[in-house]
Amino acid sequence: MTNAPQSPVDWGEVPPPSDPAPARRRVSGWTVLRVLVCAFGLLSLAYWGYWSWMLPLPGYLFMVGAPLFAAVVWFLFRSPRSPIDTDVVGKVIVETALVVAAGATWVSLGRPFVGLVFVLVAALSGVVAFRRETA
């Protein structure tokens, strides 16, 4: 018998305590690149909203609304914890649309080289992410 508190109904031996420290997941370079691509895409949409629309009202609405809309669409259809179950083709369509939208913001701002580099890096990280998810 131990001195540990017991319930009124004793079901047998006291189980050993669980390990308080969960195992740490390793973060790879591809995961870091993926997070940076997503953050740069959201910042690109905000930057576009600020410079492309008249201030104060439409500019601030697009500066906040465009990245917020993109984040909600990504969460609903592409996120690993998505509440809507989407197949692989749907995930590819959503991610492609979001990447092209973020790249097009730079083209509309007069910086097509930045948009092209962003789309290429995002495509590379997206292909690697999909290969890891489906493997």
Side-chain angles (χ1 to χ4, degrees):
M1 226 39 216
T2 65
N3 288 336
Q6 298 279 325
S7 68
V9 179
D10 190 12
W11 295 100
E13 292 295 320
V14 177
S18 62
D19 186 22
R24 293 178 52 166
R25 286 181 37 185
R26 294 187 57 172
V27 177
S28 69
W30 291 110
T31 305
V32 172
L33 178 66
R34 187 95 169 129
V35 168
L36 291 175
V37 163
C38 291
F40 187 77
L42 292 176
L43 289 174
S44 298
L45 290 168
Y47 187 72
W48 169 80
Y50 181 77
W51 285 109
S52 294
W53 296 91
M54 229 173 34
L55 293 177
L57 189 58
Y60 291 135
L61 286 177
F62 277 96
M63 186 175 70
V64 172
L68 183 65
F69 178 75
V72 167
V73 168
W74 183 85
F75 171 72
L76 288 176
F77 299 104
R78 177 62 191 97
S79 168
R81 296 181 183 156
S82 169
I84 300 172
D85 191 28
T86 310
D87 64 340
V88 174
V89 175
K91 289 181 179 185
V92 168
I93 290 171
V94 167
E95 185 154 353
T96 303
L98 293 174
V99 166
V100 168
T105 61
W106 289 104
V107 174
S108 74
L109 291 172
R111 308 257 188 229
F113 182 73
V114 176
L116 178 66
V117 169
F118 171 73
V119 168
L120 291 176
V121 172
L124 175 68
S125 76
V127 167
V128 170
F130 277 114
R131 296 284 297 188
R132 288 177 149 190
E133 286 178 12
T134 58

